[in-house]
Amino acid sequence: MYISNKYTYVKSKGNGVKTVDIIISSNTGKPIYEQITSQIKAMIMNGELQTGAPLPSMRALAKSTHVSVITVQTAYEHLQRDGFIETTVGRGSFVSAQNKDFVQEEQQRRAEEHLQEAAEIGRTYDIPVEILVDMLRLFYEGEE
């Protein structure tokens, strides 16, 4: 079962209206607050949500996704702790100004997760590390 939420916000530079989807799935073992957190992080990292863009209020997001306000609050607290959003009492939550180093660090962390998975597969199926390194080099350099 999937519960889908669409919310609309006006771009901070005034170029119109953009719709962003947050999808909550009950078919995954991932907690709902982590689903919300990871989707908003991904939207910020890939540029769908720009610096200064407003996020829906905690109550509005909770209501439209049929989850508790506490769940959304937890997600927003994690996003704020990690530097992705800023929350001001009475004004709401907005995408915070990202510096290049922070974005690069987050992308490096994501790459590390994938490399860890590749290393585990290599160990499990006795794939020599040299072959894994060669495959990574081919993918990195864009050769096929």
Side-chain angles (χ1 to χ4, degrees):
M1 176 175 121
Y2 288 95
I3 301 170
S4 175
N5 168 50
K6 284 187 180 182
Y7 69 93
T8 304
Y9 74 94
V10 178
K11 289 183 181 178
S12 59
K13 298 290 183 203
N15 287 39
V17 175
K18 178 173 177 128
T19 301
V20 179
D21 297 327
I22 293 184
I23 299 169
I24 306 299
S25 171
S26 59
N27 292 338
T28 179
K30 197 173 189 182
I32 293 171
Y33 79 90
E34 283 184 17
Q35 293 179 49
I36 295 168
T37 301
S38 64
Q39 289 179 58
I40 292 175
K41 278 184 181 182
M43 287 184 250
I44 293 169
M45 299 301 289
N46 70 22
E48 285 180 68
L49 290 174
Q50 300 289 323
T51 298
L55 296 179
S57 72
M58 290 181 213
R59 285 191 180 130
L61 185 56
K63 183 177 179 182
S64 62
T65 55
H66 307 286
V67 300
S68 114
V69 174
I70 293 170
T71 299
V72 176
Q73 180 181 8
T74 301
Y76 279 26
E77 285 171 354
H78 283 247
L79 288 164
Q80 188 166 352
R81 177 198 66 204
D82 294 343
F84 284 92
I85 67 170
E86 297 171 357
T87 301
T88 306
V89 176
R91 290 198 61 230
S93 298
F94 301 86
V95 176
S96 64
Q98 297 289 312
N99 67 42
K100 274 181 112 173
D101 293 337
F102 182 77
V103 171
Q104 185 173 6
E105 183 179 314
E106 182 65 19
Q107 295 294 26
Q108 183 176 330
R109 184 195 60 74
R110 290 182 59 213
E112 287 172 0
E113 290 175 2
H114 292 289
L115 290 171
Q116 176 67 36
E117 185 178 346
E120 290 172 9
I121 292 169
R123 279 192 299 274
T124 301
Y125 295 101
D126 296 322
I127 300 171
V129 69
E130 294 80 13
I131 292 176
L132 292 174
V133 169
D134 288 342
M135 285 191 286
L136 176 60
R137 187 172 289 113
L138 285 172
F139 289 124
Y140 189 84
E141 294 171 356
E143 298 175 19
E144 293 183 25

